[in-house]
C-alpha cells in the first residue's frame, strides 16, 4: 500500500424567534379532565378533533394562538417547542429559568443533565417526528434509554397513545411530523398517566451513537424525513449504499443503508454527533482511550491512522490527525456485521464513480472543518486522474511518472488542463475512500499539504480496480491560469 504526492507551481502575479414560539408562558396544568378555556376562541379549532385538548392547554397557559386569531392546530412543532412544553407542564423548568438571548438553553440544559435523547438542535431545522416524541417521553418518564420502536410500544401499552392510524408500531406513524394538536394531546394523556417525571440520570453507556439525530437501525424513511433527499445514493462496496449529504460541507455526512435500515454512519463534524461515555470528536486519542477504559470493548489500533473498537454489536473507527496531537477528527460507526472492509468489485462502474466522488467530498469536508476554501470538481482533471489510475493498474507500476516518462503536469496539460498551480496525490491498496483520505492526510510526504493547500481551487479524482494492489487512487489538483 503506497502514497505519493507531487506539486508544481507556475509563478504568476495576481491581484488579490421570532421562532413563532408557542408563546410558552407560566402554567399550572391540572390533573382533571380537559376543560374549555374561558373566552378562548380561534378561527380554526371549532370543529377540530383536538379542540378539547387545545382549549384545556390554552386555559392552563401552556400555549397560545396567533395574532391573526388562528391556532394552527396542524402546524408542526420543533423539538425545543415540545421539550419546553413538557418541562413546563411538570414545573421542572419555567419561564423564570429562561436565559436572555437564548430562551431554549434552560430546557436543553435540563435534558442534557439527565442525559435525555434530544438532538440539542436549537436551529430547529430538522422536522420533529412522532417517533422523536415517543423517545423523549419514554426517557422522561422511565429514566432509561430505548429505541424508537421500544418507546412507541411503551406509549401504546400504557394507553398514552392509540397511534395515528392504529394502535400498532406501524400505525403510530413514527416518521410523520408532530403537530401542535398532537403535542397537546400527548401532554394531556401523559399528565393523566403520571404526576411526575423521572429525575434519574440515564447512564452514559445507554446513550446511542447518533449522527444528526439518526442512529443505527433507524429506517431510511426516518433518515429522509429528517434530513431530506440525499445528494447521491451510491454503493459503498460493503453491502450497503451510502446516502450522501453534501449540501453543506461543514455538516457533511454519509449514512449507510441496507434493506431500508441505517447500518453505518460517517462524519467529521463534532457538532453533528451524539456519543456515549462522553466521547467526542476533537479530543485526543489518549482521552478517548481513558473514557473507554472501563467499557467492555474489543479494540484495534492502526498507528497514526485510526482506533477501532466494538461495543455490543456495533463497531466504531475513530480517525486520527497524527500531526495535531493525535486528535480524533472523524468517525465511521457501523453495525458489527457490516464493519469488515471488503475489496472493491472490479466490475462495478457505479462503485468507481462513487469512490471518486467520495474522495472529492472528503477533501472538501476536511477543508471546511479547517476553514480552508472549498475546491470545485473538475471533469477534465478527473479524466486525467482516472486515466493515470488505470495506467498504473494495467502496467503494474506505482509512480507519478508514467512509462512514457510523462509527469503529472505533462499528463494534465495533455488532457487540456491549463494551470498556474497544480499538484497530484496517488495511493493504492486501501479498501475505501474514507481510509484513503486519512492515509493521505496523515502522510508526512506532502499529501497533507496538498489536501490543505488554500492556493489550489479545483480537483478531479480517479479510481481503478485491479492490478497488483487491487485498487489505485489519483487526485489531480490545480488552480486555473
Amino acid at each position: 500500500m503506497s502514497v505519493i504526492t507531487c506539486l508544481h507551481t507556475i509563478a504568476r502575479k495576481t491581484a488579490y424567534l421570532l421562532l413563532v414560539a408557542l408563546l410558552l408562558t407560566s402554567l399550572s396544568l391540572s390533573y382533571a379532565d380537559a376543560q374549555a378555556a374561558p373566552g378562548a376562541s380561534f378561527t380554526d379549532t371549532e370543529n377540530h378533533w383536538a379542540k378539547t385538548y387545545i382549549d384545556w392547554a390554552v386555559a392552563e397557559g401552556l400555549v397560545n394562538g396567533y395574532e391573526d386569531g388562528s391556532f394552527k392546530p396542524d402546524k408542526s412543532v420543533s423539538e425545543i417547542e415540545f421539550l419546553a412544553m413538557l418541562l413546563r407542564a411538570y414545573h421542572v423548568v419555567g419561564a423564570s429559568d429562561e436565559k436572555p438571548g437564548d430562551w431554549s438553553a434552560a430546557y436543553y440544559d435540563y435534558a442534557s443533565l439527565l442525559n435525555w435523547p434530544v438532538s440539542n438542535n436549537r436551529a430547529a431545522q430538522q422536522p420533529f417526528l412522532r417517533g422523536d416524541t415517543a423517545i423523549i417521553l419514554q426517557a422522561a418518564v422511565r429514566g432509561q434509554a430505548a429505541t424508537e420502536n421500544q418507546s412507541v410500544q411503551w406509549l401504546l401499552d400504557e394507553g398514552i397513545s392509540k397511534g395515528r392510524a392504529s394502535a400498532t408500531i406501524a400505525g403510530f406513524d413514527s416518521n410523520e411530523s408532530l403537530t401542535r394538536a398532537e403535542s397537546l394531546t400527548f401532554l394531556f394523556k401523559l399528565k393523566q398517566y403520571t404526576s411526575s417525571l423521572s429525575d434519574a440520570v440515564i447512564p452514559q453507556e445507554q446513550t446511542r451513537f447518533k449522527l444528526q439525530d439518526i442512529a443505527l437501525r433507524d429506517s431510511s424513511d426516518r433518515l429522509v424525513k429528517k434530513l431530506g433527499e440525499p445528494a447521491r445514493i451510491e454503493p459503498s462496496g460493503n453491502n450497503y449504499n451510502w446516502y450522501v449529504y453534501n449540501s453543506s460541507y461543514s455538516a457533511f455526512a454519509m449514512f449507510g443503508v441496507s434493506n431500508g435500515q441505517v447500518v453505518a454512519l460517517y462524519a467529521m463534524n463534532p457538532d453533528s454527533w451524539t456519543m456515549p461515555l462522553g466521547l467526542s470528536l476533537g479530543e485526543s486519542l489518549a482521552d478517548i482511550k481513558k473514557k473507554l477504559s472501563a467499557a467492555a470493548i474489543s479494540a484495534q489500533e492502526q498507528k497514526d491512522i485510526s482506533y477501532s473498537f466494538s461495543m455490543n454489536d456495533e463497531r466504531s473507527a475513530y480517525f486520527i490527525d497524527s500531526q495535531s496531537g493525535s486528535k480524533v477528527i472523524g468517525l465511521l460507526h457501523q453495525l458489527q456485521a457490516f464493519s469488515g472492509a471488503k475489496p472493491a468489485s472490479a466490475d462495478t462502474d457505479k462503485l468507481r464513480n462513487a469512490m471518486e466522488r467520495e474522495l472529492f467530498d472528503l477533501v472538501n469536508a476536511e477543508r471546511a472543518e479547517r476553514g480552508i476554501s472549498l475546491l470545485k470538481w473538475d471533469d477534465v482533471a478527473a479524466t486525467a486522474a482516472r486515466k493515470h489510475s488505470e495506467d498504473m493498474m494495467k502496467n503494474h507500476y506505482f509512480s507519478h511518472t508514467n512509462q512514457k516518462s510523462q509527469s503529472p503536469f505533462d499528463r494534465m496539460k495533455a488532457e487540456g488542463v491549463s494551470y498556474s498551480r497544480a499538484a497530484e496525490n496517488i495511493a493504492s491498496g486501501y479498501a475505501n475512500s474514507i481510509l484513503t483520505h486519512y492515509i493521505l492526510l496523515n502522510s508526512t510526504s506532502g499529501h497533507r499539504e496538498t489536501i490543505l493547500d488554500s492556493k489550489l481551487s479545483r480537483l478531479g479524482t480517479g479510481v481503478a480496480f485491479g492490478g497488483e494492489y487491487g485498487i489505485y487512487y489519483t487526485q489531480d489538483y490545480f488552480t486555473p491560469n
Side-chain angles (χ1 to χ4, degrees):
M1 298 183 184
S2 306
V3 290
I4 302 179
T5 190
C6 190
L7 173 68
H8 188 223
T9 304
I10 294 178
R12 183 181 178 185
K13 292 183 180 179
T14 55
Y16 288 104
L17 198 86
L18 197 78
L19 225 183
V20 179
L22 297 178
L23 300 178
L24 300 169
T25 57
S26 59
L27 52 95
S28 58
L29 290 176
S30 71
Y31 299 92
D33 289 340
Q35 297 178 358
S41 178
F42 300 109
T43 60
D44 53 357
T45 63
E46 186 60 34
N47 297 314
H48 195 275
W49 65 266
K51 182 181 188 308
T52 304
Y53 301 114
I54 293 169
D55 289 345
W56 162 79
V58 172
E60 295 297 333
L62 179 60
V63 63
N64 252 324
Y66 293 87
E67 291 183 356
D68 64 1
S70 68
F71 185 80
K72 298 181 174 58
D74 299 321
K75 183 179 183 295
S76 298
V77 299
S78 66
E79 177 184 78
I80 182 53
E81 289 170 339
F82 181 77
L83 179 63
M85 284 192 290
L86 170 63
L87 292 178
R88 291 166 74 90
Y90 281 91
H91 305 282
V92 176
V93 180
S96 62
D97 300 305
E98 294 177 7
K99 300 175 182 179
D102 186 4
W103 69 271
S104 67
Y107 304 103
Y108 273 130
D109 287 349
Y110 184 85
S112 297
L113 182 68
L114 298 183
N115 202 23
W116 286 1
V118 296
S119 69
N120 207 15
N121 181 20
R122 285 169 166 78
Q125 295 173 339
Q126 293 183 357
F128 184 62
L129 307 182
R130 288 171 56 85
D132 299 324
T133 311
I135 291 171
I136 290 177
L137 291 180
Q138 188 280 149
V141 173
R142 303 178 73 199
Q144 58 186 252
T147 65
E148 179 179 275
N149 283 352
Q150 289 170 339
S151 300
V152 170
Q153 191 63 59
W154 175 78
L155 287 178
L156 298 173
D157 290 345
E158 300 302 321
I160 300 169
S161 173
K162 295 181 180 179
R164 181 180 272 182
S166 65
T168 63
I169 289 177
F172 187 81
D173 282 351
S174 293
N175 294 323
E176 295 302 317
S177 297
L178 181 73
T179 68
R180 281 162 61 88
E182 289 173 332
S183 66
L184 301 179
T185 305
F186 275 124
L187 292 177
F188 177 77
K189 297 286 189 182
L190 194 70
K191 290 290 287 188
Q192 287 187 314
Y193 176 78
T194 180
S195 61
S196 63
L197 301 178
S198 172
D199 59 1
V201 178
I202 297 175
Q204 275 283 354
E205 56 267 25
Q206 290 186 21
T207 302
R208 304 175 71 196
F209 283 90
K210 283 189 175 184
L211 175 56
Q212 297 181 16
D213 207 28
I214 300 298
L216 296 182
R217 300 180 183 82
D218 280 355
S219 69
S220 56
D221 288 342
R222 173 180 166 81
L223 168 64
V224 173
K225 187 73 176 183
K226 277 281 190 181
L227 303 183
E229 293 291 339
R232 302 190 307 273
I233 298 177
E234 57 196 20
S236 70
N238 203 21
N239 294 327
Y240 56 76
N241 286 329
W242 280 124
Y243 281 45
V244 180
Y245 289 84
N246 65 359
S247 60
S248 170
Y249 279 112
S250 61
F252 174 73
M254 299 197 298
F255 300 83
V257 174
S258 177
N259 295 321
Q261 183 182 67
V262 176
V263 300
L265 312 168
Y266 170 80
M268 60 178 71
N269 177 255
D271 294 335
S272 296
W273 284 100
T274 300
M275 302 183 192
L277 303 172
L279 302 171
S280 63
L281 297 186
E283 59 186 335
S284 70
L285 177 59
D287 288 338
I288 291 283
K289 290 179 178 179
K290 286 178 183 177
K291 292 177 179 179
L292 290 169
S293 60
I297 64 170
S298 171
Q300 179 181 3
E301 185 169 353
Q302 186 174 0
K303 185 174 172 57
D304 295 336
I305 302 298
S306 66
Y307 179 78
S308 303
F309 64 89
S310 296
M311 186 182 297
N312 301 320
D313 61 347
E314 299 177 1
R315 184 84 174 164
S316 299
Y318 282 96
F319 294 99
I320 302 162
D321 186 345
S322 62
Q323 299 179 43
S324 295
S326 291
K327 183 171 68 173
V328 174
I329 58 172
L331 172 61
L332 173 61
H333 185 66
Q334 305 173 90
L335 291 179
Q336 183 77 45
F338 291 87
S339 64
K342 298 181 179 179
S345 174
D347 60 358
T348 308
D349 287 342
K350 288 184 178 179
L351 179 58
R352 177 184 60 186
N353 293 337
M355 294 177 75
E356 290 171 348
R357 285 290 180 170
E358 287 162 17
L359 204 56
F360 172 83
D361 283 339
L362 290 163
V363 169
N364 262 349
E366 194 70 57
R367 290 167 72 101
E369 283 298 308
R370 298 166 187 263
I372 302 171
S373 58
L374 300 181
L375 302 171
K376 292 182 179 179
W377 174 267
D378 191 88
D379 285 330
V380 179
T383 298
R386 181 182 284 185
K387 284 183 177 180
H388 187 57
S389 290
E390 290 176 344
D391 190 51
M392 289 190 292
M393 179 271 293
K394 292 175 181 177
N395 292 297
H396 310 289
Y397 73 95
F398 182 73
S399 172
H400 287 290
T401 303
N402 66 17
Q403 294 183 327
K404 296 179 181 179
S405 297
Q406 290 178 310
S407 71
F409 318 108
D410 295 330
R411 290 186 277 101
M412 281 191 257
K413 286 179 180 177
E415 205 60 49
V417 173
S418 177
Y419 62 85
S420 61
R421 183 179 183 85
E424 180 176 86
N425 284 344
I426 59 175
S428 64
Y430 303 106
N432 56 60
S433 294
I434 295 175
L435 178 58
T436 301
H437 171 74
Y438 288 105
I439 293 287
L440 293 170
L441 185 69
N442 283 290
S443 166
T444 57
S445 303
H447 307 88
R448 176 190 183 90
E449 289 76 10
T450 298
I451 290 171
L452 304 179
D453 189 344
S454 62
K455 295 179 181 179
L456 293 168
S457 63
R458 298 191 183 184
L459 171 62
T461 61
V463 171
F465 301 134
E468 180 180 354
Y469 292 103
I471 184 168
Y472 294 78
Y473 302 87
T474 302
Q475 296 175 324
D476 281 343
Y477 299 77
F478 75 100
T479 299
N481 280 326

